[in-house]
Amino acid sequence: MKKIAVYPGSFDPITNGHLDIIKRGLSMFDEIIVLIAYNVMKTSLFTVEERAAMIKEALHDKKRVRVDSYDGLLVDYVRDAGANIILRGLRAMSEFEYEFQLALMNRRINRSVETVFFMTGYKWFYTSSTIIKEVARLGGSPKGLVPEIVYRKMQEKFPRMNKI
């Protein structure tokens, strides 16, 4: 039986930290579904379609990775995808409490779903999509923190970024 993990997030945009989690996850799982979750609480920079295209390009050489989007209950998607594992990355202890609550709620809703936490790689510990967008909006460069396709798309969204 294939071990399929679902890696959910807004990925607005995907960062090298996200890619690190995916690449390391492939050593444990047969397939990873990168699930772009709709989050009505966040204002997105990129559309879901733009995010999916960037993720696919950034991971074009990873044949065991699939990209999808969903606006419903995560555990329902996991079940329907034939998976039983949710993959999550943790950067700091401050994230743990929230992630732990989500994992317990998901487990309560569907007892067959497990959440696996990966610690973020040390190089990416301080990065987040939110911080990267803020730096770019103010004219700083996120080069090296995001895949090249994301960097190019951010240059289009933030013309000031091109000046530095």
Side-chain angles (χ1 to χ4, degrees):
M1 189 167 157
K2 282 176 64 171
K3 290 184 286 185
I4 303 170
V6 176
Y7 182 33
S10 57
F11 303 108
D12 186 42
I14 194 162
T15 70
N16 288 343
H18 294 127
L19 296 180
D20 179 60
I21 296 287
I22 294 164
K23 289 171 185 173
R24 289 173 33 224
L26 287 171
S27 70
M28 292 181 67
F29 307 110
D30 298 314
E31 181 180 356
I32 294 177
I33 302 169
V34 179
L35 184 66
I36 303 167
Y38 292 83
N39 188 339
V40 294
M41 304 303 282
K42 291 184 178 181
T43 302
S44 299
L45 175 62
F46 295 102
T47 66
V48 170
E49 295 76 21
E50 288 173 315
R51 287 179 263 167
M54 288 186 290
I55 294 167
K56 287 175 184 175
E57 184 168 328
L59 294 166
H60 71 277
D61 60 331
K62 305 293 183 223
K63 303 301 179 215
R64 297 183 294 134
V65 176
R66 187 167 26 131
V67 180
D68 203 355
S69 61
Y70 190 67
D71 67 352
L73 201 55
L74 177 59
V75 291
D76 290 342
Y77 180 90
V78 171
R79 180 200 61 228
D80 294 346
N84 67 341
I85 299 163
I86 298 170
L87 176 61
R88 299 294 292 164
L90 288 175
R91 286 184 304 245
M93 282 302 294
S94 58
E95 291 181 332
F96 178 76
E97 186 174 348
Y98 176 72
E99 292 290 342
F100 186 64
Q101 289 173 340
L102 286 179
L104 290 175
M105 182 56 74
N106 288 332
R107 184 109 169 101
R108 184 180 187 283
I109 295 169
N110 185 335
R111 305 290 292 163
S112 67
V113 172
E114 296 288 349
T115 300
V116 174
F117 296 103
F118 274 24
M119 296 305 301
T120 299
Y122 72 92
K123 288 171 58 174
W124 316 115
F125 190 75
Y126 62 92
T127 62
S128 72
S129 296
T130 302
I131 290 172
I132 287 169
K133 287 185 289 194
E134 186 67 8
V135 165
R137 186 180 69 76
L138 295 171
S141 174
K143 193 159 187 74
L145 301 175
V146 294
E148 188 59 32
I149 180 62
V150 173
Y151 181 75
R152 290 193 310 268
K153 295 294 184 181
M154 289 185 83
Q155 284 179 312
E156 295 171 12
K157 299 269 186 183
F158 300 112
R160 277 182 68 187
M161 194 176 99
N162 296 325
K163 307 250 187 296
I164 295 179

